[in-house]
Amino acid sequence: MPFLQLSGLTKRFGDVVAVEDFSLAVEKGEFVSLLGPSGCGKTTTLQMIAGFEQPTSGHIMLNGRHLEEVPARNRGLGIVFQTYALFPHMTVEENVAFGLEMRGIDKKERARKVAGALELVQLAHLAKRYPRAMSGGQRQRVALARALVIEPELLLLDEPLSNLDAKLREEMQLELRRIQQEAGVTTLLVTHDQNEAMALSDRVAVMHHGRLMQQETPFHVYENPKSSFISTFLGKTNSLTATLKTTNDEGSALVCNGMELAGPPAHLRPGPITVSLRPERIEIVEAGEAVVSGPVIERIFLGDQWLFRIETPIGPLLVVRRNRGQREPEHGETVHLAWTPHHLRLLPKEDEAA
Amino acid sequence: MTRRSRSRPWILSAPALLLFLVLLLVPLAMTFILSFHSFSFYGGITPTFSLENYIEVLSDGYFYEIFGRTFAIALATTLICAAIGLPQAYFLSRMHPFWRSVMLLVVLGPLLISVVVRTLGWAILLGNKGVINDALRDLGLITSPIRMMYTSGGIVLALVHVMVPFMILAIWAALQRTDPATESAAESLGARPWTIFRRIVLPQAMPGILSGSLIVFSLSASAFATPAILGGRRVKVVSTTVYDEFLNTLNWPLGAAIAMLLLVSVLAIMVGWNRLVERRFAGVFE
Amino acid sequence: MRHNGLFAKAFSVLFAVFMLAPLVVVIGVSFTPEGFLEFPPSGLSLRWFRAILDNPDFIEAAWVSLQLGVASATVSSIFAVPAALAIGRGRFPGRDALQAFFLSPLTVPTVVLGIAFLRFLSFLNANGTFVGLMLCHAIIIMPFILRLVLASVTGLDRSQEQAAVSLGASDWTVFRRVTLPAIMPGVIGGWVLAFITSFDELTVTVFIVSPTTTTLPVRLFSHITQTTDPLVASISTVAILFTVGLMFLVDRIYGLDRLLIGEGAR
Ligand SMILES: Nc1ncnc2c1ncn2[C@@H]1O[C@H](COP(=O)(O)OP(=O)(O)O)[C@@H](O)[C@H]1O
Ligand SMILES: [Mg+2]
């Protein structure tokens, strides 16, 4: 029996189906991310676990207990809200102590635990401050300390880093992971930021239109997306429309825009499919080794890498190259591209996704 | 939680709802019923059901004059308030922040001071031996005083003073929702100040003018203190007439009928105005 | 930032004169040493301020008004705050109608409210009682409180309350420790506006006072309709100063424009 088990969770708001038949298992101590575009039902899922929304149908089990029956205030979950939701009229210390106070923990014990929690998030020196007088990153830590100090069985984080600027966000990612591991708390994070999900979590659960699409390790989801939606949502990719001619254990034969291509073995029926090819897997080669060739139509310098768009017979292809300081193709220059067949991902044609 | 959250708003508003039902709806209903009772000078009020009070009001030119005067005063007050309020709100939005807060204090402050006190000020200003007449005579501009007390004009003047803050607030709120860059955009396209005001500012201020007019009109039509002090018995309006019927003549049923007619006409005008505004300016309101 | 031209400045100055003239005149007149109204006063004297002390009925009326304002604003707040919480955050059937009902005292002509209360209170034989006055005022001023509290309820971050619940707080604790502090500025602002409205109210009150329990505006009104002497001016001056003092206090706590902008945005 997994520690947290969501089974067949569905939530309708009138005609809107926010979450549909959502099932997910999370093990004790695991860090799982719910990843999906805005409006796909992540917050609603979290709110049902927290007890602020009542599921239309489905079950939530935590540590062998049925959570649906338990009122929100007795669920004992730690929640960090997107806006942090700190109590503006209480100091940092009072904010963190609030949950302990509700549990009737005596003053001395409270002070000790609050100090410990603030230590954990490295804010012990700001205990007497009011939230107003703190930076975004500091407020974030206070919210985290407040959620963790009650020693929750489960920590829920709703887009906790989205209100921070890019640099701080990266720092907080590392920090969040450290704190989570130190506290050893089972964590469910909701985010629309694929980098955040991949950097932080043991497992990523990708959501789309209220449904669970795939749940695996970040590496696995990135490498083996189950649908073209996931392949485009996680990282950059070239999505090509193609027809699968034949497939066997050795490999497959595809036709893309009239051109024949070799692909990896596929578990699909012959017919129209989507092919995903990551831009970093495409190499620039000599004319003789080329799979396709064409002129550079776009050339963007990103610092650590170069981004090219190349017009080829199978369609425009995005190519990413590490910047190692060498000469790169100019605008309009014809380049020759190649890749190994097993880097192609053959996916069912889009439109069954919803 | 769902079951509880469904009844919760009603539980929370139940005390206020009960208070309003007992202390607002019941009294209004009793007054409505009262307006059908009959009254005689010797017998007092008899709880009959007759339309005689309404018939009396609707068949007497005297009451038509009072209702006509009341709405004419309200209309004039509204038009003047709009004519003053629009430019003043616009100037307010362009003022230096310091002067703007000073001006806001000048506009809003009087709202917090009793209408009785403010009208007393106007009575002192407008009287035959009042400040304005004295000044004009000292300047040699007039020989005999201009009559301003106990005239509709005097009432309108004082009502404008009482009501114009509401108009300015409404227009100012509308102007604040607009993007000041629209004016710069018009200017960059070659518009002159007056054109900018007419083509850019005025349409965006329109929702404020319309809602402000509604407030000013309905408050003016039912104003009491100002017409009572500045108009006295000589220039009667509906609310002072009701007051006299209730507290002097003691003909409560007739007073109630007049009040009900006031209520109905004010509500009808408000609803009609809202309809009109919604139809004409549906796009302007967000 | 664009600036106003000469015309705009002249217009604003004239407008300010218009707005302040009646108040300046009242204050000026109250310092006259003479027995009649004159402006500008021929000298400076506190004669008419001392005269207030010889008119205990005015002081008594002011005292009643003060108590009435405090009591009715407080009672009205106690009813309005839960209602504002219900209306401000729920989508529930009947919500708009409920809100319109609670704001309706603004729409019904005050004179109609006055006679309705008179009819009701005299039916109960409670006309001219303090409690009767207080309840009627509570109804009239409820819209002012409701609007300001509603504004702070709608501005409230729902997740603050959810955070408190997730930490184990009961409904009552959430209200007392999180919701109420968050909407407090709105409640205080609404209370003050309601107090001032009650303190200044004439049209409704004039119908339901009794000779023994009368308010300052009613007392002033009946005095003015009989005679205008410098006494009413000096009493008015005191009332103006009281209001100005309150205004500064409110401006510090809540912001005067925030308090009053709601007036226009009906
Ligand atoms: N209280 C609600 N009433 C109606 N629709 C809602 C409500 N909450 C969320 N929704 C809808 O449910 C869908 C999922 O919303 P949400 O869970 O907030 O998405 P996410 O957090 O992934 O951005 C959206 O289409 C949203 O409009
Ligand atoms: Mg969300």
Side-chain angles (χ1 to χ4, degrees), chain B residues 23 31 91 94 112 161 187, chain C residues 2-4 19 116-117 200:
Chain B
L23 277 152
T31 310
F91 299 150
R94 293 159 51 113
L112 302 178
H161 182 259
E187 195 175 349
Chain C
R2 343 172 132 261
H3 289 288
N4 287 317
M19 288 309 288
F117 291 145
D200 290 345

Side-chain angles (χ1 to χ4, degrees), chain A residues 84 86 123 131-144:
Chain A
Y84 314 140
L86 297 179
L123 278 182
R132 224 184 299 281
M134 305 185 91
S135 72
Q138 290 169 335
R139 288 182 204 182
Q140 166 74 73
R141 287 164 205 249
V142 178
L144 209 53

Side-chain angles (χ1 to χ4, degrees), chain A residues 118-163:
Chain A
L118 289 178
E119 201 69 48
L120 180 68
V121 297
Q122 300 176 341
L123 278 182
H125 57 297
L126 297 181
K128 304 279 185 224
R129 282 246 185 124
Y130 282 94
R132 224 184 299 281
M134 305 185 91
S135 72
Q138 290 169 335
R139 288 182 204 182
Q140 166 74 73
R141 287 164 205 249
V142 178
L144 209 53
R146 184 179 68 181
L148 285 173
V149 77
I150 59 171
E151 291 163 18
E153 287 183 296
L154 179 66
L155 181 64
L156 301 175
L157 307 165
D158 191 353
E159 314 246 7
L161 306 180
S162 64
N163 280 341

Side-chain angles (χ1 to χ4, degrees), chain A residues 244-354:
Chain A
L244 180 62
K245 286 292 172 200
T246 59
T247 176
N248 58 31
D249 291 350
E250 313 286 277
S252 55
L254 316 162
V255 177
C256 182
N257 239 358
M259 217 180 135
E260 294 202 4
L261 296 176
H267 306 285
L268 295 170
R269 288 178 190 209
I273 58 165
T274 301
V275 176
S276 163
L277 176 56
R278 297 277 181 202
E280 71 272 17
R281 302 291 155 80
I282 303 179
E283 285 177 84
I284 297 183
V285 295
E286 296 300 317
E289 303 160 27
V291 180
V292 291
S293 305
V296 174
I297 54 173
E298 241 178 282
R299 180 179 192 264
I300 298 168
F301 180 53
L302 296 173
D304 59 339
Q305 32 177 254
W306 286 90
L307 197 65
F308 299 98
R309 194 183 296 276
I310 293 152
E311 189 65 58
T312 74
I314 59 172
L317 287 183
L318 210 58
V319 176
V320 169
R321 307 222 330 143
R322 284 208 74 73
N323 173 21
R324 294 199 174 82
Q326 80 274 36
R327 195 198 86 89
E328 295 290 345
E330 296 296 332
H331 194 273
E333 194 176 327
T334 296
V335 292
H336 309 286
L337 306 176
W339 54 83
T340 41
H342 71 257
H343 281 144
L344 293 184
R345 293 289 170 264
L346 311 190
L347 302 165
K349 185 126 190 75
E350 191 69 326
D351 76 30
E352 51 80 64

Side-chain angles (χ1 to χ4, degrees), chain C residues 33-194:
Chain C
E34 304 296 336
F36 50 87
L37 294 172
E38 53 158 10
F39 187 88
S42 53
L44 278 183
S45 141
L46 293 178
R47 171 184 168 190
W48 290 105
F49 288 92
R50 275 192 300 273
I52 299 176
L53 298 177
D54 302 330
N55 284 276
D57 54 331
F58 274 107
I59 296 172
E60 178 67 22
W63 183 233
V64 169
S65 283
L66 207 61
Q67 287 175 310
L68 187 60
V70 170
S72 60
T74 307
V75 167
S76 200
S77 302
I78 291 170
F79 283 93
V81 168
L85 284 174
I87 293 170
R89 56 176 45 160
R91 301 159 306 232
F92 58 94
R95 173 175 171 270
D96 291 347
L98 199 62
Q99 180 173 351
F101 185 43
F102 288 142
L103 294 180
S104 64
L106 292 176
T107 326
V108 177
T110 30
V111 70
V112 176
L113 289 176
I115 60 167
F117 291 145
L118 168 61
R119 173 74 178 140
F120 184 70
L121 291 180
S122 54
F123 179 76
L124 295 179
N125 253 333
N127 205 18
T129 59
F130 184 81
V131 174
L133 275 173
M134 194 258 300
L135 288 174
C136 294
H137 273 215
I139 299 269
I140 315 170
I141 62 186
M142 175 93 96
F144 297 95
I145 305 178
L146 192 75
R147 273 208 307 229
L148 289 194
V149 179
L150 259 181
S152 28
V153 169
T154 13
L156 194 66
D157 180 6
R158 215 52 234 265
S159 55
Q160 271 181 32
E161 292 168 301
Q162 293 187 342
V165 171
S166 77
L167 294 168
S170 65
D171 288 356
W172 174 241
T173 309
V174 173
F175 175 75
R176 203 170 44 85
R177 299 284 302 275
V178 179
T179 317
L180 192 59
I183 63 173
M184 212 50 194
V187 176
I188 294 176
W191 190 95
V192 173
L193 192 58

Side-chain angles (χ1 to χ4, degrees), chain A residues 38-39 42-44 82 158-159 190:
Chain A
S38 172
K42 307 178 298 285
T43 296
T44 307
Q82 186 169 352
D158 191 353
E159 314 246 7
V190 152

